Amino acid sequence: MGGESGLKSREVSAMIKQGFIPDPTLSFSPSRTFSPPPSSTRPSQNQAQTHPQHTQTLFDMMSEEHKFSDDKRRKAQDRLSKLLREPALREGGEVRLTVVGRDGLRVSMEVRKSVLADKSRFFAEKLRCDGAVSHSVEISDCDDVEVYVEAVVLMHCEDLKARLRSMGDGVPKVLSLLKVSAAIMFDVGVVSCLEYLESIPWSEDEQEEVISQVEHLQIHDSAAEVLQRVSSDPSTADRADDIFLNLISGVLQAKDDKARREMKALLSKLLKENNAPNDSTRLDVSKDTLYHLCHKCISSLLLCLSEATGGGDERPDRGVVVSDITREADNIQWIVDILIGKKIGEEFVEIWAEQKELAALHSKVPTVYRHEISRITAQLCIGIGRGHILVPKETRFSLLSTWLEALYEDFGWMRRASRAVDRKLVEDGLSQTILTLPLLQQQAVLLNWFDRFLNKGDDCPNIQKAFEIWWRRAFIRQYSAEPDNNSQLQITLSDYPS
C-alpha cells in the first residue's frame, strides 16, 4: 500500500512540474517544508589503516566542505523561516505553492489564489478555474528558492519600493527578483525593481550585471531609463572628439601642477583602455585632434625658446623660462606617449625631425633650461628601438641628424635631474635606432659617438653594444650587396606537348 501511495505521489509530482493541476485532496506535510542536509560518511577503518595520512587529509577536506554546505543551507533555512512568518503567508490560501531548489532545498506555502491571479499574468492564466477548487503547484530546479518566496511576499505588499529598500541586499537581490518577476509576469514587481535599480548606485561589477540582465530580459519601458545611466544619445559620438580635445587641452593648460599630474595619469589610463583592437564601437580621441595639439605645443615651445634666447633689454626671469620650457616639453612627451600607445606615432617622428629652427634655438639655451626637450628624442628612439614606431630609414636618419647632438649634450643633465629617465632604456633605444640604419650611416654615427664618449664618459650615452654590432657587421661578417647570378633561380618556359 505504501509503495502504491509513493508511486502515485511521484506521478502527481511529475504532472505538477509540467504546470498546474486542480487537486482538492493533495496536501504537503509541514515536516517536508525543508529537506534535511546531506549526512557525511566517514571512511572505513580498513581504508584509514591503509593510507592513514592521505585518508585523514581527504576526510578533513570533505568535512570542511560539508560543514560549509551545511552552514550555508542552515542560513538559507533561517532566512526562509523568517519569510514564511510574514503576515501575508501566515494567512493561508487556496493554492499550495512548493518551490524546490537545485540543491534539493524545498519550501511550501499556502497562498491566496486571488493575489496570485491579480498580480501575475502567468498565474492568472494557469489558475483560470472555479474558485472552490484547490491547487497544488511545484516550481522545480530554482537557482534561489529564497528569491521565489520573496517574490510571492512582494505580491502582497502595498509599498513595493519600501519592501525592496528594507531587504538591504542591494543590486544582486533586486536583479534576482527582477528576473523572477519577469518570468511569472509580475508586472508591478518588474516596474518596482527597475525603478529601484534606476535610483541606487552600482559598483562596476554590478553595472555589467545590470546591463546584461536588463538587455536580456527586454521587459518594460522603464528598462530604457535604467540604461540611460550607461548609454548616451547617438549625437554624443559626433561630439566625443570635442570633449576629448577640451579635456586634454585643459590638462595642457592646467595651473595647479599636482592636479595636472593626476589628471594626466587618469586620462592616460582611460585612453589606454580604448586601445583594444577590433573594437569599433568605442569612442576615442582622433588622430587629427592629437596632432593638432602636437603642433600647438611645438609652436609654444618654439616661442619659449625664442624668449629665452632673446637679445632685448629686458632679461626674462630664469624661473619662469625654465618652468615654461619644462611644461611645454612635458606636454609634448605626454601626447607622444599617447600617440605611441595608439600606434599612430610615425607622423610625429617626421614632424620632430624637421624642427631645424627649434634645434638651433635649443643649442643656444643653457642645458639646465632645455634638457627636458631631449627627452622627446629619447622617447622616440625607444619607440623605434622597440618596433612600436615604424618609419623609413630616411626619417630615422633625419631624426638623429637633427637631434642626436642635442641628446648627447643634455644626457648628463637628463639622467641627473629626472628620476623618470631610465638610462639603460634610453641607451638601448638609441642603440637599436642606430642599428636600423644602413651600414655607412651606422659608421658615421658611431664613430662620432666614439670620440664624444672618450671625452664625456658618463655624461654621454653608453652605446658600446651598438658599436660592437656595427664592428662585426663591418669587419668580421661582411655581406656582399652584389647579387650572385649563379644562385638565381632559373625558370625556363616551353610549350607543353599536346
Side-chain angles (χ1 to χ4, degrees), residues 167-321:
M167 291 190 305
D169 292 325
V171 172
K173 174 58 76 64
V174 175
L175 284 174
S176 298
L177 281 169
L178 175 63
K179 186 176 180 180
V180 171
S181 298
I184 62 176
M185 302 180 191
F186 174 26
D187 295 333
V188 177
V190 167
V191 173
S192 297
C193 288
L194 289 172
E195 288 178 349
Y196 186 81
L197 288 171
E198 195 280 326
S199 62
I200 63 172
W202 315 326
S203 69
E204 289 197 49
D205 290 339
E206 289 170 346
Q207 172 178 302
E208 295 303 317
E209 189 62 27
V210 170
I211 295 170
S212 174
Q213 285 268 30
V214 173
E215 286 184 341
H216 175 71
L217 292 175
Q218 297 179 345
I219 32 184
H220 194 274
D221 292 342
S222 300
E225 295 186 14
V226 175
L227 294 177
Q228 281 179 5
R229 189 181 300 186
V230 294
S231 62
S232 58
D233 188 270
S235 63
T236 302
D238 300 329
R239 296 182 287 108
D241 210 45
D242 291 336
I243 293 172
F244 292 134
L245 175 60
N246 290 335
L247 291 172
I248 297 174
S249 297
V251 172
L252 297 178
Q253 299 164 14
K255 291 182 171 57
D256 188 287
D257 287 338
K258 181 175 180 293
R260 180 172 173 274
R261 287 194 300 272
E262 290 180 3
M263 290 303 101
K264 269 177 56 184
L266 175 62
L267 286 182
S268 293
K269 182 183 78 169
L270 295 175
L271 289 170
K272 281 176 182 175
E273 290 178 3
N274 279 24
N275 289 347
N278 304 322
D279 191 349
S280 59
T281 63
R282 296 192 180 188
L283 300 179
D284 198 5
V285 59
S286 70
K287 177 181 176 180
D288 288 345
T289 292
L290 291 171
Y291 274 101
H292 166 75
L293 292 169
C294 280
H295 284 291
K296 194 173 179 180
C297 290
I298 289 174
S299 297
S300 297
L301 182 59
L302 190 61
L303 182 61
C304 290
L305 289 179
S306 298
E307 291 177 354
T309 58
D313 296 334
E314 191 173 328
R315 295 177 64 86
D317 180 84
R318 179 188 173 194
V320 174
V321 171

Side-chain angles (χ1 to χ4, degrees), residues 367 370-371 374 404-417 423 426-427 430 449 452-463:
T367 309
R370 73 190 191 196
H371 62 85
S374 288
L404 186 55
E405 191 71 21
L407 180 59
Y408 286 157
E409 292 290 338
D410 294 348
F411 187 76
W413 265 97
M414 255 174 58
R415 66 182 185 83
R416 285 193 295 268
R423 174 174 185 152
V426 174
E427 291 171 343
L430 180 57
W449 165 82
R452 180 176 291 272
F453 186 72
L454 289 174
N455 293 313
K456 294 287 186 178
D458 282 347
D459 281 345
C460 180
N462 189 337
I463 52 175

Side-chain angles (χ1 to χ4, degrees), residues 5 28 33 36 46 67 91 109 121 153 180 219 224 226 270 277 280 286 293 297 316 330 341 394 415 420:
S5 174
F28 290 76
T33 298
N46 290 338
K67 182 179 178 182
E91 294 174 359
M109 63 198 114
R121 288 183 287 123
V153 173
V180 171
I219 32 184
V226 175
L270 295 175
S280 59
S286 70
L293 292 169
C297 290
D330 183 69
E394 293 81 11
R415 66 182 185 83

Side-chain angles (χ1 to χ4, degrees), residues 93-95 111-120 124 127 156:
E94 306 86 2
V95 178
V111 190
R112 283 182 294 163
K113 185 169 71 173
S114 60
V115 173
L116 295 177
D118 288 346
K119 296 297 177 69
S120 163
L127 297 174
H156 293 76

